[in-house]
Amino acid sequence: MINFFRKIRQKLLTENKFSKYLFYSIGEIVLVVIGILIALSINNWNEGNKRKSQERDLLLQMKRNLEADILQEKYPNLVLENAMNSTNIVLDYLEQRKPYKDSLDYHFGWIPAYTIHMTNTTAYENLKTIGFDIISNDTLRENYQKLYSFNYELTKFQRNELAYNNMIEFKIFYKKHFQNFILLNNATPIDYQSLLENNEFHEMLMTTRRENTIQKTFKNTTKKEIQKLIEMIDKELN
């Protein structure tokens, strides 16, 4: 088509028909511009499809990571429940000044229980590299970032620092007042009667119960946030 216009233009120049020459020159320019615009549109369409495909892959990866996070919390949930139950039983014995029973050894062993918080961060790290703006749903993007920057960071602090440090304190205390200490298994008091009067031990138990209660509440809140994110991702994928 361009060669066709070029031949006409050359013929018009030869015949000194300037006005027609100008018309065909403009037509040739318009044709080139239209071609460029079409090429740009096709390129933008291809880039848009590529971006959509990349977003979909990331959404699927996000969903897999979040589902894995829920599944791997089953054991920590069990540990926390056992620790809270054992703490309550021992506190009840101390506060009611009940006589010692061998079964208490199991509960003494469970009181300092803790678990390390670990999350699946593959999708999150990929998004940090690619850019979070590839997630077109603003609410989904913001809630997902909040989950990692707030919920997971606070959970990590509760478990990897507070609960861990609490376990160390119990370990130090148990060395003085217990024997046969095996975490999640056993701790036999050297002098049970002295524990009934030990304010330090009572305060440690109260602190543990309080922190575990806060941890459990926040764990439930975080789980709900994860489930909402999974539902939002499903809507985007469908």
Side-chain angles (χ1 to χ4, degrees), residues 101-192:
K101 289 184 178 180
D102 291 345
S103 59
L104 282 176
D105 293 3
Y106 170 81
H107 297 296
F108 283 126
W110 264 96
I111 290 170
Y114 80 103
T115 55
I116 295 294
H117 175 68
M118 298 178 65
T119 56
N120 295 276
T121 61
T122 306
Y124 186 73
E125 293 299 325
N126 284 340
L127 281 167
K128 284 169 65 177
T129 302
I130 296 168
F132 286 96
D133 60 342
I134 195 170
I135 305 300
S136 55
N137 186 315
D138 293 341
T139 304
L140 171 58
R141 181 176 64 250
E142 291 168 5
N143 288 354
Y144 184 73
Q145 288 178 282
K146 175 179 171 290
L147 177 71
Y148 278 84
S149 62
F150 176 70
N151 293 70
Y152 282 174
E153 286 300 314
L154 181 54
T155 300
K156 189 185 297 181
F157 174 70
Q158 289 175 332
R159 286 160 60 177
N160 299 7
E161 294 188 41
L162 290 181
Y164 174 77
N165 291 337
N166 186 59
M167 184 275 294
I168 296 298
E169 288 183 15
F170 269 98
K171 192 173 182 180
I172 293 170
F173 183 89
Y174 277 19
K175 280 185 177 181
K176 297 179 181 178
H177 302 278
F178 287 80
Q179 57 187 357
N180 304 323
F181 172 49
I182 304 173
L183 188 63
L184 313 186
N185 186 280
N186 185 87
T188 305
I190 295 172
D191 185 352
Y192 176 73

Side-chain angles (χ1 to χ4, degrees), residues 5-237:
F5 273 104
R6 188 175 290 113
K7 288 179 181 178
I8 294 176
R9 180 158 45 88
Q10 289 173 348
K11 181 179 180 182
L12 291 173
L13 280 172
T14 303
E15 297 175 356
N16 292 321
K17 295 179 179 180
F18 180 75
S19 60
K20 290 186 178 181
Y21 162 76
L22 184 61
F23 171 76
Y24 281 105
S25 294
I26 293 172
E28 187 176 344
I29 293 170
V30 169
L31 186 63
V32 170
V33 171
I34 291 173
I36 292 172
L37 291 175
I38 291 172
L40 286 173
S41 297
I42 293 173
N43 183 65
N44 289 338
W45 182 77
N46 288 334
E47 286 297 320
N49 281 346
K50 181 180 177 182
R51 186 178 177 84
K52 275 292 180 184
S53 177
Q54 189 177 29
E55 179 186 9
R56 184 177 179 81
D57 289 342
L58 284 166
L59 288 171
L60 288 168
Q61 194 175 57
M62 287 162 60
K63 181 182 177 181
R64 287 194 297 269
N65 283 180
L66 294 173
E67 289 174 336
D69 286 341
I70 290 178
L71 284 175
Q72 71 186 26
E73 279 299 296
K74 287 186 176 181
Y75 176 71
N77 289 341
L78 178 63
V79 170
L80 182 61
E81 288 294 336
N82 285 350
M84 292 179 72
N85 180 59
S86 292
T87 302
N88 287 332
I89 289 173
V90 170
L91 271 170
D92 180 61
Y93 265 76
L94 296 183
E95 292 171 352
Q96 300 300 320
R97 304 185 71 81
K98 294 180 180 180
Y100 170 75
K101 289 184 178 180
D102 291 345
S103 59
L104 282 176
D105 293 3
Y106 170 81
H107 297 296
F108 283 126
W110 264 96
I111 290 170
Y114 80 103
T115 55
I116 295 294
H117 175 68
M118 298 178 65
T119 56
N120 295 276
T121 61
T122 306
Y124 186 73
E125 293 299 325
N126 284 340
L127 281 167
K128 284 169 65 177
T129 302
I130 296 168
F132 286 96
D133 60 342
I134 195 170
I135 305 300
S136 55
N137 186 315
D138 293 341
T139 304
L140 171 58
R141 181 176 64 250
E142 291 168 5
N143 288 354
Y144 184 73
Q145 288 178 282
K146 175 179 171 290
L147 177 71
Y148 278 84
S149 62
F150 176 70
N151 293 70
Y152 282 174
E153 286 300 314
L154 181 54
T155 300
K156 189 185 297 181
F157 174 70
Q158 289 175 332
R159 286 160 60 177
N160 299 7
E161 294 188 41
L162 290 181
Y164 174 77
N165 291 337
N166 186 59
M167 184 275 294
I168 296 298
E169 288 183 15
F170 269 98
K171 192 173 182 180
I172 293 170
F173 183 89
Y174 277 19
K175 280 185 177 181
K176 297 179 181 178
H177 302 278
F178 287 80
Q179 57 187 357
N180 304 323
F181 172 49
I182 304 173
L183 188 63
L184 313 186
N185 186 280
N186 185 87
T188 305
I190 295 172
D191 185 352
Y192 176 73
Q193 290 302 316
S194 70
L195 286 179
L196 296 178
E197 310 298 333
N198 194 307
N199 290 329
E200 179 187 0
F201 187 53
H202 186 268
E203 286 299 317
M204 289 172 67
L205 292 172
M206 293 295 290
T207 299
T208 298
R209 180 163 68 180
R210 181 172 59 253
E211 290 182 355
N212 283 347
T213 300
I214 294 171
Q215 184 186 148
K216 181 180 178 180
T217 300
F218 193 67
K219 277 170 69 69
N220 291 336
T221 299
T222 299
K223 183 178 180 180
K224 289 178 182 178
E225 291 298 320
I226 294 173
Q227 290 171 332
K228 283 197 294 186
L229 278 168
I230 291 173
E231 290 175 4
M232 293 176 70
I233 291 172
D234 282 336
K235 287 182 180 179
E236 291 295 308
L237 291 171

